[in-house]
Amino acid sequence: MNNLWKSFWIAVSLYSRLPAVRVDWQKPAMQYAYCFLPAIGLAEAGLVWLWWLFCRWQGIGVLLFAAGAVAWPVLVTGGIHLDGWCDAWDAFGSHASREEKLRIMKDPRLGAFGAIGCGMYFLVAAGAWGEIYPGGGVTAALALVGCLFARGLAGLAAALMPCARPDGLAAAFSPGAGQKKAAAALGVQLVLLAAVLLAVHPLAGFAVLAAQCALAAAEVWMFRRQLGGITGDLAGFLLLGCQLAGVLAAGLAA
């Protein structure tokens, strides 16, 4: 139980800019940090939900709502997942060898493909949230629960896949001996979130699940084929991609 408590605060301090209790970053606790990715997403979802309520109350337009819906999660996380998204775009856009792609992702500088990917993400995400705004509370709830589901998928991929780089962030947080427990914990969360999506709106909820699971499967296949495993950057890439797919599916299907 003590390790789980430490794991939670390690996850909060790593994946967000929320206030966190200082704990020792030791392997027994670090290996379960992925399990709390959906829980940290509750802060993002709560802020976006409050923003949606405020915008509806004040009659704020679609564009400003969409801008806030995209910006709030970046502010909460400090952009850590967006950093992985940009690094992955730089790597895959290079069409280089496996070793060169891993080197590019490790480089802190932003390349041309990363800038293109970042711009495309903000553009498509704002458009997707713009489809959510006029849809009502059910549509907004589907999109936000879908964002939590995407976090669970990213955590599950990071927990189960081999690490592409032995000295990277994913390797430091690799579940190791606790792999089965970490995967089981994330699996339970995914099942519960899927049940919520289907309960809120069976047809649209299924569309969100199908879109996210299909994209996650495609990305996992690509990670294995091109890099032999996953890194922290690739987990962020998968997380944001699946979130975006879920918001689009919710907006179009609800």
Side-chain angles (χ1 to χ4, degrees), residues 6-26:
K6 290 181 179 179
S7 297
F8 172 75
W9 289 115
I10 289 172
V12 171
S13 61
L14 178 62
Y15 299 119
S16 77
R17 290 297 177 264
L18 300 173
V21 174
R22 287 183 174 273
V23 296
D24 294 330
W25 287 41
Q26 299 173 338

Side-chain angles (χ1 to χ4, degrees), residues 123-149:
L123 182 64
V124 177
W129 281 108
E131 291 294 318
I132 296 297
Y133 188 50
V138 169
T139 308
L142 282 170
L144 293 173
V145 176
C147 288
L148 302 182
F149 189 83

